[in-house]
Amino acid sequence: MLFRSSGATFAIEADGAVRASGKRAMRAAPITVALGPASRLGFTTDPQDTTAGVRMAAMVVQVQDVYSNAIALGGKTVNLVLNGAVAYTGTFSRVTDASGRVRFDDVEIRNAATGLTFTASSAPLTAGTSAPFAILPGEPAFVRIETTPSGSGIIVPAQNIDSRRSVHAYTVARDMFTNYIENVAADEWHLDSVSGGFKQSDLEPAPNKRSARFNARQPGNAVIDATVGALPVVPSGMIEVLPDEPTTVFRSEEHTSELQSPYVI
């Protein structure tokens, strides 16, 4: 340890000797640093990025003084709370051991998210907050025909539309907990449960096959579906194209000011 006095530099060495720059050593009395009282909780092992549905590595919380020195305080109940609107399971109330430490080693989170943190609390100590971490989506489990490519949409719903309108659809891969993975390219897009005047050509895949547009041309019914490797695919709801409404035309004969009876074309 170094300190200065009257312009000279002094060093306290491991054996207790004090040496000044340019001077011989002299013996100093031992220095004892006393720990402060228990003041706060701190994470000595922070949560790590983990795949959704996988048990997280153990997190360790320590009773500390105001300078983050470990304080041996056993029997203190510590509560753990996740900061983030996602579901989680595990044991979130544990008691410190004789060294003032507590381990949380059975936490599982199924919703993918980033920027999550845990807070450990035990009154009257100041609560401690972990470093941020992420829960990552798992492997693709299925594909859904959705309304947007970003994962923020829903399955394309059942709907009635008029002819000359379009419906856009996207192949979205999700894990077993429905966490969004990506907008994947389909091997093939097609219409299923077709009736009426629908044709497969009414469904136009994009060049990258990550989306398709259904163009309503004739009355009928169908669902939008796709093939993506061996993954199960959840198709759209039933799309029904309604017949055009009859058009009513009024005709007047030349040289007369009276309107004749309407007729339908």
Side-chain angles (χ1 to χ4, degrees), residues 170-236:
Y170 303 85
T171 35
V172 173
R174 294 183 179 271
D175 69 11
M176 63 183 298
F177 303 112
T178 73
N179 294 306
Y180 171 78
I181 299 175
E182 64 174 326
N183 174 211
V184 295
D187 300 320
E188 180 188 49
W189 285 86
H190 52 271
L191 297 173
D192 282 344
S193 305
V194 177
S195 67
F198 282 17
K199 299 178 181 179
Q200 290 296 331
S201 59
D202 293 336
L203 187 63
E204 299 179 4
N208 62 11
K209 295 188 176 182
R210 295 176 186 270
S211 65
R213 181 180 65 189
F214 170 72
N215 301 303
R217 296 188 174 99
Q218 297 292 333
N221 299 274
V223 297
I224 302 173
D225 205 347
T227 301
V228 184
L231 291 174
V233 177
V234 180
S236 75

Side-chain angles (χ1 to χ4, degrees), residues 6-189:
S6 302
T9 299
F10 296 84
I12 300 178
E13 299 185 351
D15 62 359
V18 178
R19 286 187 176 81
S21 55
K23 303 188 181 205
R24 71 182 177 187
M26 56 185 174
R27 182 74 55 184
I31 296 176
T32 301
V33 178
L35 299 174
S39 174
R40 62 189 295 274
L41 295 174
F43 281 81
T44 54
T45 302
D46 280 301
Q48 303 298 307
D49 292 352
T50 308
T51 300
V54 175
R55 180 170 292 188
M56 299 183 68
M59 294 166 278
V60 179
V61 176
Q62 174 72 54
V63 178
Q64 300 174 338
D65 67 10
V66 69
Y67 300 109
S68 300
N69 296 305
I71 301 296
L73 180 61
K76 193 74 175 170
T77 299
V78 177
N79 299 306
L80 192 70
V81 175
L82 177 64
N83 303 309
V86 297
Y88 57 105
T89 61
T91 305
F92 301 102
S93 183
R94 292 180 180 262
V95 177
T96 58
D97 62 18
S99 68
R101 297 184 353 146
V102 61
R103 286 167 51 90
F104 294 92
D105 56 4
D106 64 348
V107 177
E108 180 182 311
I109 302 175
R110 295 184 175 183
N111 299 101
T114 58
L116 300 173
T117 58
F118 278 106
T119 294
S121 62
S122 181
L125 303 178
T126 300
T129 300
S130 73
F133 67 98
I135 297 298
L136 310 173
E139 293 296 318
F142 59 91
V143 172
R144 302 196 315 192
I145 306 300
E146 299 195 11
T147 55
T148 67
S150 63
S152 62
I154 59 174
I155 296 172
V156 173
Q159 54 195 289
N160 298 332
I161 62 174
D162 299 326
S163 62
R164 297 179 295 277
R165 289 187 59 190
S166 299
V167 176
H168 293 267
Y170 303 85
T171 35
V172 173
R174 294 183 179 271
D175 69 11
M176 63 183 298
F177 303 112
T178 73
N179 294 306
Y180 171 78
I181 299 175
E182 64 174 326
N183 174 211
V184 295
D187 300 320
E188 180 188 49
W189 285 86

